[in-house]
Amino acid sequence: MLKTLFCGDLRPEHAGQDVVLAGWVNRRRDQGGLIFIDLRDRWGICQIVVDEENAPDAHANANNARNEYVLQVKGKVRMRPEGTSNPDLATGEVEVVASEINVLNPAKTPPFYINKEDNIEEAVRMKYRYLDLRRPKMQNNIVLRHKAVKFIRDWLDERGFVEVETPILFKTTPEGARDFLVPSRLQPGKFYALPQSPQQLKQLLMVGGYERYFQIARCFRDEDLRGQRQPEFTQLDLEMSFVEREDVMQLNETMMRELVKKVTPDKRIMEEPFPRLLYKDAMDWYGSDKPDIRYDLRAIDISDLAGKSGFPVFVNNVEAGHPVRVLRAPGMAGELSGTKLRQVAAELEDMAKAAGAKGLAYIALSSDPNGEAKGPISKFFTVDQKVELFERTGAQPGDLLLFMSDRKEVVWDVTDVLRRHLAQELGLLDTSLLAFCWVIDFPEFLWNEDEQRWDPSQHLFTMPMPEDVTLLDTDPGAARGSQYDMVCNGFEVAGGSIRIHDRALQEKIFPLIGQNMESAREQFGHILEAFEYGVPPHGGIAWGIDRIVALLAGEPNIREVIAFPKSQTGADVMSGTPSAAEPGQLAELHIKLDLPEEDEE
Ligand code: ASP
C-alpha cells in the first residue's frame, strides 16, 4: 500500500506516530517558510504542515503542488499547537509534519471547485463526472447507495432468499415501455430485447422451485426521458412462492422500515405500520396513485351539496354524474386585497386549465371571522349551504377554497397538480420526513381511449383479486388486480402483485388487452408452457433502487445517486454515448441505416 492510514482517520491517538498518507490536494496555503496542505481521501481531510527549514525537498514539492494534485506524504503526527485546532474537522486536533512529499500525479486546474459546494452547471458536472464524483456530497451519496444495497442483500440472505442473475439479452418483457433492441449477428434479422424487468424470468424461477428469489437487477426502458427517468435503472427484483398479497407486503414493509433506520437514522418515518389507501380513495382524495401524504390537503367531495346550489355548472355536472370537490388552501386568502386575490386565483386557474379543467371557481374566507366570503360563486350558495360547506371542508378564516368539477379523471389531474403546488407554496414539504403508504386495490385494467381497448394497469401477469376473477368475463373494467404499490413522498418506490399461475386464466388476459392468441403464444409460449408443469402460487415486487436511495439521501433527482447517469437525451456526454457504428459492424449485422434527413447532415 502507498499509504498506512486514511486521511480522515487521523486522530489524537496517532500523535507521535510515523505515517504515510496519500490523496488529493484539497487546498494549499502558502505562508512563506510554512506550507499547509489539506489532503483529502475518501475518508476525509487532514492537515499537512511542511517546513522549508526542516524538509526543503518536501517544501519544494509542496510549493509546486496545486489543487487536485495526487500526493504521497510521509511524516509524523502531532497535536496541533494550542489554539489552532479546527472543531469542524474530525481530524482537526492533529496534523502531520511532512518529512517527504512525492507527487504521484499532477492535475490541471479542474473546471469547477471540488472543495466547495457550488452551484455547478449540470452539463459541466456530467462532462467531467469523474471530478464531480470526487466531491464529498457525491461520495456520500454513492456510499449510501452501497450501504442500502448491502443491507438489502444481507437482510434477504438471512431470510432464505437466493440472488439469481437473469439474462440481459432476452425477449421482450411487457412493462408498458418501448424495448431496447440488440441485433443478433449469428441470426441475421433477429433481435434480442434488453429486459424492461426480469418479470418472466423470476416467475420461471418460481416454476424452477427457488421459492425465494431476489436480484439487484438492471432494467432498460426506451422511453422519452421526461422528468427523472433513466433509460437504464436498478430494481431490487423479488419473487416468492406460496404467498398471498399480505405476505409480500409485510415482508417488504419490514425490510424498508429496517433499511431506513439502519442507513439513515436521522430520517423520520411518518407512520408505522404504513397506512394503506385504496386506489379509488387515493385518486379521489389526492388525485394520484402515488400521493405525497406528508401533508393532508385532501380534496373533499361536496357533489351532493353543490348539486343543490344555484351554480348551473355544478348542478349540470352533478346531474351528468361528475364530481364536485374542494381543496382547502389554509390561510391562502389571508389579508389579500381584492385585486391580489383575483390574481392568485387566476394563477391557480391557469394551472388547473393546463391540467385539463375548464375553470377553477373559488371562495375566499376573510381573516375576520365576521367578514364576508368572497368569490364569484359565493352568491350561488345559501347561508345554510355555506355553513355546511365550511363545516365539511374544515374551513377557517383566511382560507381559500378551490372548487373542481369535471369528469372524474380531470378532477383527479387537477387535484394532483394543485396539491403539489399548494404544498410547495405553503411550505409543507418536510425533507426529513418519509411518508410511506401502500396503495392497493388497483383496477386490473385501465381503458385506453386512443386504442379503444383495455391496458393492464400493472402488467399482464397480475392476478385479479380472487373475488373479481369472474368479472373478467362480465365487466373487466370493474375487476380489481392484486397489485400493491409502496409510495413515499409522492413517488412510487416499489410495485408488485400476486401473479396468475394458471394457463387458462393467463390466456384469458391476452384478448382483453387486444393481443391475438397467435402473437401471444409466439411471445409468451415459454411461460404458457411452463404453466403446465406444476406452478406454485407466487407473487413479488420490484423496488426502484435509484429513487429510494435519492429519498434517503434527500436528493430531489435520481441522477445524484447514480455514478454515471444519462442526460435528458439519453446521452453520456462524458464518453459521447451513443455513437455511430463502424460501417463494418453494421455490415456484419446486416443493417442498413435509413436516417431521418436532419440526422444525415
Ligand atoms: N416487474 C414489475 C415492474 O418492474 C414489478 C413486479 O411486478 O414485481 O414494475
Side-chain angles (χ1 to χ4, degrees), residues 51-66:
D51 185 337
E52 187 172 14
E53 225 167 90
N54 298 336
D57 291 347
H59 188 272
N61 280 344
N63 198 28
N64 290 333
R66 293 292 172 269

PDB file of all heavy atoms in Angstrom, residues 51-66:
ATOM      1  N   ASP A  51       7.610  22.362   6.499  1.00  0.00           N
ATOM      2  CA  ASP A  51       8.503  23.416   6.979  1.00  0.00           C
ATOM      3  C   ASP A  51       9.739  23.460   6.078  1.00  0.00           C
ATOM      4  O   ASP A  51      10.461  22.464   5.949  1.00  0.00           O
ATOM      5  CB  ASP A  51       8.882  23.075   8.440  1.00  0.00           C
ATOM      6  CG  ASP A  51       9.711  24.170   9.070  1.00  0.00           C
ATOM      7  OD1 ASP A  51      10.336  24.937   8.302  1.00  0.00           O
ATOM      8  OD2 ASP A  51       9.732  24.245  10.308  1.00  0.00           O
ATOM      9  N   GLU A  52       9.973  24.616   5.468  1.00  0.00           N
ATOM     10  CA  GLU A  52      11.058  24.737   4.493  1.00  0.00           C
ATOM     11  C   GLU A  52      12.416  24.409   5.110  1.00  0.00           C
ATOM     12  O   GLU A  52      13.262  23.765   4.507  1.00  0.00           O
ATOM     13  CB  GLU A  52      11.069  26.169   3.931  1.00  0.00           C
ATOM     14  CG  GLU A  52      12.035  26.330   2.795  1.00  0.00           C
ATOM     15  CD  GLU A  52      11.932  27.683   2.107  1.00  0.00           C
ATOM     16  OE1 GLU A  52      11.284  28.597   2.676  1.00  0.00           O
ATOM     17  OE2 GLU A  52      12.486  27.812   1.014  1.00  0.00           O
ATOM     18  N   GLU A  53      12.584  24.811   6.368  1.00  0.00           N
ATOM     19  CA  GLU A  53      13.881  24.629   7.012  1.00  0.00           C
ATOM     20  C   GLU A  53      14.192  23.160   7.280  1.00  0.00           C
ATOM     21  O   GLU A  53      15.272  22.672   6.976  1.00  0.00           O
ATOM     22  CB  GLU A  53      13.868  25.386   8.334  1.00  0.00           C
ATOM     23  CG  GLU A  53      15.126  26.179   8.562  1.00  0.00           C
ATOM     24  CD  GLU A  53      14.911  27.146   9.705  1.00  0.00           C
ATOM     25  OE1 GLU A  53      15.179  26.745  10.851  1.00  0.00           O
ATOM     26  OE2 GLU A  53      14.417  28.271   9.445  1.00  0.00           O
ATOM     27  N   ASN A  54      13.174  22.445   7.817  1.00  0.00           N
ATOM     28  CA  ASN A  54      13.421  21.048   8.216  1.00  0.00           C
ATOM     29  C   ASN A  54      13.301  20.076   7.055  1.00  0.00           C
ATOM     30  O   ASN A  54      13.885  18.997   7.097  1.00  0.00           O
ATOM     31  CB  ASN A  54      12.435  20.614   9.307  1.00  0.00           C
ATOM     32  CG  ASN A  54      12.614  21.449  10.543  1.00  0.00           C
ATOM     33  OD1 ASN A  54      13.700  22.004  10.741  1.00  0.00           O
ATOM     34  ND2 ASN A  54      11.563  21.558  11.339  1.00  0.00           N
ATOM     35  N   ALA A  55      12.475  20.397   6.036  1.00  0.00           N
ATOM     36  CA  ALA A  55      12.267  19.443   4.942  1.00  0.00           C
ATOM     37  C   ALA A  55      12.237  20.205   3.623  1.00  0.00           C
ATOM     38  O   ALA A  55      11.183  20.377   2.998  1.00  0.00           O
ATOM     39  CB  ALA A  55      10.958  18.674   5.152  1.00  0.00           C
ATOM     40  N   PRO A  56      13.413  20.680   3.177  1.00  0.00           N
ATOM     41  CA  PRO A  56      13.441  21.551   1.986  1.00  0.00           C
ATOM     42  C   PRO A  56      12.903  20.866   0.718  1.00  0.00           C
ATOM     43  O   PRO A  56      12.217  21.506  -0.068  1.00  0.00           O
ATOM     44  CB  PRO A  56      14.936  21.906   1.831  1.00  0.00           C
ATOM     45  CG  PRO A  56      15.682  21.015   2.760  1.00  0.00           C
ATOM     46  CD  PRO A  56      14.741  20.485   3.772  1.00  0.00           C
ATOM     47  N   ASP A  57      13.187  19.559   0.526  1.00  0.00           N
ATOM     48  CA  ASP A  57      12.699  18.886  -0.688  1.00  0.00           C
ATOM     49  C   ASP A  57      11.182  18.775  -0.671  1.00  0.00           C
ATOM     50  O   ASP A  57      10.505  19.033  -1.671  1.00  0.00           O
ATOM     51  CB  ASP A  57      13.316  17.479  -0.831  1.00  0.00           C
ATOM     52  CG  ASP A  57      14.798  17.583  -1.130  1.00  0.00           C
ATOM     53  OD1 ASP A  57      15.247  18.707  -1.466  1.00  0.00           O
ATOM     54  OD2 ASP A  57      15.497  16.560  -0.996  1.00  0.00           O
ATOM     55  N   ALA A  58      10.666  18.369   0.506  1.00  0.00           N
ATOM     56  CA  ALA A  58       9.206  18.259   0.643  1.00  0.00           C
ATOM     57  C   ALA A  58       8.571  19.618   0.408  1.00  0.00           C
ATOM     58  O   ALA A  58       7.536  19.747  -0.267  1.00  0.00           O
ATOM     59  CB  ALA A  58       8.843  17.740   2.041  1.00  0.00           C
ATOM     60  N   HIS A  59       9.212  20.663   0.932  1.00  0.00           N
ATOM     61  CA  HIS A  59       8.677  22.013   0.778  1.00  0.00           C
ATOM     62  C   HIS A  59       8.654  22.414  -0.700  1.00  0.00           C
ATOM     63  O   HIS A  59       7.675  23.001  -1.184  1.00  0.00           O
ATOM     64  CB  HIS A  59       9.510  23.006   1.593  1.00  0.00           C
ATOM     65  CG  HIS A  59       8.906  24.376   1.643  1.00  0.00           C
ATOM     66  ND1 HIS A  59       9.166  25.340   0.688  1.00  0.00           N
ATOM     67  CD2 HIS A  59       8.001  24.934   2.508  1.00  0.00           C
ATOM     68  CE1 HIS A  59       8.482  26.440   0.976  1.00  0.00           C
ATOM     69  NE2 HIS A  59       7.764  26.212   2.083  1.00  0.00           N
ATOM     70  N   ALA A  60       9.702  22.050  -1.434  1.00  0.00           N
ATOM     71  CA  ALA A  60       9.748  22.399  -2.860  1.00  0.00           C
ATOM     72  C   ALA A  60       8.605  21.707  -3.605  1.00  0.00           C
ATOM     73  O   ALA A  60       7.929  22.324  -4.439  1.00  0.00           O
ATOM     74  CB  ALA A  60      11.093  21.983  -3.450  1.00  0.00           C
ATOM     75  N   ASN A  61       8.373  20.438  -3.287  1.00  0.00           N
ATOM     76  CA  ASN A  61       7.268  19.722  -3.948  1.00  0.00           C
ATOM     77  C   ASN A  61       5.914  20.308  -3.560  1.00  0.00           C
ATOM     78  O   ASN A  61       5.019  20.451  -4.402  1.00  0.00           O
ATOM     79  CB  ASN A  61       7.305  18.231  -3.595  1.00  0.00           C
ATOM     80  CG  ASN A  61       8.345  17.505  -4.437  1.00  0.00           C
ATOM     81  OD1 ASN A  61       8.801  18.033  -5.453  1.00  0.00           O
ATOM     82  ND2 ASN A  61       8.730  16.316  -4.016  1.00  0.00           N
ATOM     83  N   ALA A  62       5.765  20.649  -2.285  1.00  0.00           N
ATOM     84  CA  ALA A  62       4.504  21.242  -1.826  1.00  0.00           C
ATOM     85  C   ALA A  62       4.293  22.587  -2.501  1.00  0.00           C
ATOM     86  O   ALA A  62       3.171  22.982  -2.820  1.00  0.00           O
ATOM     87  CB  ALA A  62       4.522  21.399  -0.309  1.00  0.00           C
ATOM     88  N   ASN A  63       5.387  23.272  -2.725  1.00  0.00           N
ATOM     89  CA  ASN A  63       5.329  24.588  -3.350  1.00  0.00           C
ATOM     90  C   ASN A  63       4.798  24.494  -4.786  1.00  0.00           C
ATOM     91  O   ASN A  63       4.069  25.354  -5.250  1.00  0.00           O
ATOM     92  CB  ASN A  63       6.741  25.187  -3.332  1.00  0.00           C
ATOM     93  CG  ASN A  63       6.711  26.683  -3.538  1.00  0.00           C
ATOM     94  OD1 ASN A  63       5.716  27.323  -3.191  1.00  0.00           O
ATOM     95  ND2 ASN A  63       7.752  27.223  -4.124  1.00  0.00           N
ATOM     96  N   ASN A  64       5.166  23.429  -5.457  1.00  0.00           N
ATOM     97  CA  ASN A  64       4.713  23.255  -6.843  1.00  0.00           C
ATOM     98  C   ASN A  64       3.307  22.665  -6.936  1.00  0.00           C
ATOM     99  O   ASN A  64       2.673  22.762  -7.984  1.00  0.00           O
ATOM    100  CB  ASN A  64       5.666  22.321  -7.598  1.00  0.00           C
ATOM    101  CG  ASN A  64       7.010  22.997  -7.824  1.00  0.00           C
ATOM    102  OD1 ASN A  64       7.062  24.224  -7.895  1.00  0.00           O
ATOM    103  ND2 ASN A  64       8.076  22.212  -7.893  1.00  0.00           N
ATOM    104  N   ALA A  65       2.888  22.023  -5.869  1.00  0.00           N
ATOM    105  CA  ALA A  65       1.599  21.313  -5.940  1.00  0.00           C
ATOM    106  C   ALA A  65       0.444  22.302  -6.046  1.00  0.00           C
ATOM    107  O   ALA A  65       0.516  23.426  -5.555  1.00  0.00           O
ATOM    108  CB  ALA A  65       1.420  20.432  -4.713  1.00  0.00           C
ATOM    109  N   ARG A  66      -0.616  21.903  -6.705  1.00  0.00           N
ATOM    110  CA  ARG A  66      -1.828  22.718  -6.842  1.00  0.00           C
ATOM    111  C   ARG A  66      -3.022  21.867  -6.450  1.00  0.00           C
ATOM    112  O   ARG A  66      -2.882  20.645  -6.252  1.00  0.00           O
ATOM    113  CB  ARG A  66      -1.987  23.184  -8.300  1.00  0.00           C
ATOM    114  CG  ARG A  66      -0.924  24.169  -8.766  1.00  0.00           C
ATOM    115  CD  ARG A  66      -1.064  25.526  -8.054  1.00  0.00           C
ATOM    116  NE  ARG A  66       0.041  26.439  -8.342  1.00  0.00           N
ATOM    117  CZ  ARG A  66       1.165  26.538  -7.635  1.00  0.00           C
ATOM    118  NH1 ARG A  66       1.363  25.748  -6.583  1.00  0.00           N
ATOM    119  NH2 ARG A  66       2.105  27.413  -7.951  1.00  0.00           N
TER     120      ARG A  66
END
